[in-house]
Amino acid sequence: MATIVSKPDVVAFIDYLTGHEDESMNIESVGYEQLPAAIRNSTLQQIMDWQKTGVNCIGIKQKNGRFLINPPENTVISDGMKLIILGSKQQIHKMKSNLG
């Protein structure tokens, strides 16, 4: 925490992310099993481009429980993995509605 406090731009950014209700950003996980069959076992780039919603993948929880932060676009998402996504409530809702 002390490291964050000594970096005012980081604190301001975190405040911005959690700001006003209509503009606040949310972080959620989307499991492999929630993805449509047509995009399972695809690269992260293909999944994130699928019916573009504006959310960003900031991490992946791998099958072994480890996290991969800022994963490369060529990472193949397979069974047991989860996407950690960042977006507004509207963007996340749109992504989830694309998933069915």
Side-chain angles (χ1 to χ4, degrees), residues 9-22:
D9 290 335
V10 173
V11 172
F13 182 72
I14 292 170
D15 284 344
Y16 176 76
L17 287 178
T18 59
H20 307 292
E21 189 173 313
D22 57 330

Side-chain angles (χ1 to χ4, degrees), residues 26-69:
N26 296 285
I27 298 175
E28 292 196 26
S29 68
V30 175
Y32 170 87
E33 67 283 349
Q34 293 174 273
L35 300 173
I39 61 171
R40 290 180 187 167
N41 299 305
S42 296
T43 65
L44 181 58
Q45 180 181 21
Q46 292 166 317
I47 292 169
M48 296 310 293
D49 280 347
W50 190 73
Q51 296 188 5
K52 211 142 184 87
T53 60
V55 298
N56 295 296
C57 180
I58 59 173
I60 294 173
K61 184 175 183 183
Q62 300 171 334
K63 191 173 187 172
N64 64 8
R66 290 187 152 163
F67 288 94
L68 178 60
I69 306 301

